[in-house]
Structure formats: C-alpha cells, structure tokens
Amino acid sequence: MATEHVLEDKELGRLLVRVNVRARRLTFRTREDAIHVTVPPGTTIGEVKNAVEQLRPRLRAARQQQSRPLIDLDYRIDTEFFKLSLVGGEHDRFLSRSELGEMQIICPPDADFSNKELQDWLRKVIEEALRRNAKIILPPRLYALSLQHNLSYKSVKINSSSGRWGSCSARGNINLSYFLVLLPKHLIDYVLLHELAHTREMNHGERFWALLDGMTDGKAQLLRSELRKYKTDF
C-alpha cells in the first residue's frame, strides 16, 4: 500500500489512510474532513477494510457526533410534528416548557454551550421529548394504516435507534425510532407502511415492493430515495 491512500465509504464518508513507521497497530481518529487511519508498514487495504467493518458501529457513532451541530440559542428544530427553540432566561438554571409537538428550553445567562457535558444533557432532554411525542403520534397512525390496508401486527414499541427508522420481526412485532417524528408526514407514513408490508413479506423481494407500491400509489422507490436524505438523529 502507498504511504497515503483514500477510501470512500458510502456510510462513513472519506477515510484517509496513512502509513506510519512507528505505528504498531491500526488507529482511527474521526475529524471533520475525514476519518484518519494510521497503520503500520506492510498493512494491506484488505486489512484496513476488515478493521473498518469490525469497528463500523463505533465509527458511525463517532462520525455522527462529529457532524452534530452545536445546540445553543441559535439552534432550532422546525418540523411538522416537533418544534424546538432555546431562549435566554434570567434564572441560574435551565427550565423547559413542553407540550405535544413543541418544546422550549429556557437557558441561564451564563450557559456555556461549548461544554460537552451540557451538550450531552441538552441532547438527552430533547431526545426524551422526542420519545414522548413519538409514543403519542406513531402508534395510532400505525394502527390506522394497518386497518386501511388490512395488515395486522402483534405489537409496536418506540425505541432510540439511530441506525434504522423501523423494523418488523417475523412474529409481527414492530419497532419504530422516535426520530421518526422529525420526518415529514408522508415519509413517516412510508416507514410505517414499509414495516407493515413486512408483516406479509419478510424480505425485500419483488412481492414486497409490489405490495408497498400498491399502498403508496407506485411511489415506493421514490419515497425510499427521499428518505435517504434524512438521518436517524438530529
């Protein structure tokens, strides 16, 4: 392998691989421009790719963390089913006002938004609000669509998945990510219909897509492509 090599990964983006004569093992560092990989001399591209696959969940999480915007007074979420704003307050502690579909966080004057612990706390508070909203919004909509298309399921659970919007088990148990409430309504419906289709077709074969097409006016692939522009995170 050359001293420097660039790998392109559809999920992780650019990986910049550099050989270092002092390196004794592969190391990965996530930065804004790329994931930087340092390898010992003699390491093959195949070995790097194998390491990437083994570490993919951790690399994905690190990449998402790196790309997350700073949550401060300029931060906003303005979607169809959930709106969030942060405003300055006069008290020395954080306060929140929350109702269905809307949340406002009132911040103390001396809040240090560059603090990692504060960012983690704010994200946790917002995610809990998303979970509460999802539990109210998603199950009734799933039930309505199941009746409309005569596709029954056994149970539905709301989870914190940041890797997939939803899943359906062979027993008809459906799991939905609470990040779904950040999507437009038509894409929420697409995900719900996708999982309902799995109650009849447990694969992504021709019959599955034919069934999903029948429920989306022939737009299944178009909606699938549109969904890829969004991520299970904020």
Side-chain angles (χ1 to χ4, degrees):
M1 183 173 64
T3 305
E4 291 190 2
H5 189 89
V6 177
L7 294 176
E8 294 291 343
D9 187 278
K10 289 183 179 180
E11 180 182 34
L12 302 174
R14 188 166 172 259
L15 291 93
L16 182 58
V17 184
R18 286 193 176 99
V19 176
N20 187 323
V21 295
R22 297 180 180 179
R24 295 186 177 182
R25 58 186 176 86
L26 279 71
T27 59
F28 293 78
R29 293 182 178 86
T30 303
R31 298 176 182 170
E32 288 188 9
D33 62 330
I35 295 176
H36 291 248
V37 188
T38 303
V39 304
T43 304
T44 66
I45 291 298
E47 289 172 329
V48 174
K49 290 182 177 180
N50 286 338
V52 169
E53 291 309 316
Q54 293 176 12
L55 297 172
R56 183 171 292 277
R58 291 172 57 185
L59 293 173
R60 182 195 304 121
R63 199 72 175 133
Q64 290 174 342
Q65 183 73 33
Q66 185 75 34
S67 63
R68 284 173 172 174
L70 188 70
I71 301 175
D72 57 14
L73 296 178
D74 294 323
Y75 184 82
R76 295 287 185 275
I77 294 177
D78 188 10
T79 61
E80 194 169 348
F81 290 102
F82 187 77
K83 301 182 187 303
L84 168 79
S85 62
L86 285 80
V87 298
E90 299 178 354
H91 297 282
D92 60 356
R93 60 191 180 94
F94 285 87
L95 303 170
S96 68
R97 298 169 181 165
S98 184
E99 57 186 55
L100 182 61
E102 189 168 351
M103 183 179 195
Q104 184 180 74
I105 299 176
I106 305 164
C107 309
D110 60 348
D112 179 11
F113 294 105
S114 65
N115 182 277
K116 182 182 183 301
E117 286 72 23
L118 175 56
Q119 287 293 306
D120 290 342
W121 180 82
L122 286 169
R123 195 166 296 277
K124 183 177 180 181
V125 169
I126 296 168
E127 287 187 2
E128 282 304 313
L130 290 174
R131 185 192 300 272
R132 291 194 299 270
N133 278 264
K135 286 184 175 181
I136 295 172
I137 294 168
L138 299 179
R141 184 57 182 163
L142 181 69
Y143 179 68
L145 290 172
S146 74
L147 292 180
Q148 180 180 343
H149 297 283
N150 195 29
L151 292 169
S152 61
Y153 57 95
K154 186 175 181 180
S155 69
V156 57
K157 293 182 179 179
I158 306 300
N159 62 35
S160 60
S161 173
S162 59
R164 59 197 307 183
W165 297 106
S167 64
C168 179
S169 74
R171 295 184 176 182
N173 298 313
I174 292 177
N175 290 288
L176 301 172
S177 170
Y178 54 64
F179 292 111
L180 274 168
V181 297
L182 299 179
L183 293 178
K185 182 178 182 297
H186 69 285
L187 289 181
I188 294 177
D189 280 357
Y190 167 75
V191 173
L192 301 187
L193 290 170
H194 185 112
E195 302 312 329
L196 285 172
H198 278 313
T199 63
R200 185 173 296 173
E201 298 291 337
M202 279 303 299
N203 53 52
H204 290 104
E206 291 184 5
R207 292 193 301 180
F208 170 85
W209 288 109
L211 175 60
L212 193 52
D213 258 337
M215 297 187 290
T216 58
D217 297 324
K219 297 178 181 178
Q221 292 293 344
L222 184 64
L223 292 167
R224 181 191 186 195
S225 297
E226 185 179 354
L227 182 64
R228 287 177 173 173
K229 300 175 183 178
Y230 294 84
K231 61 180 182 177
T232 49
D233 201 351
F234 66 91

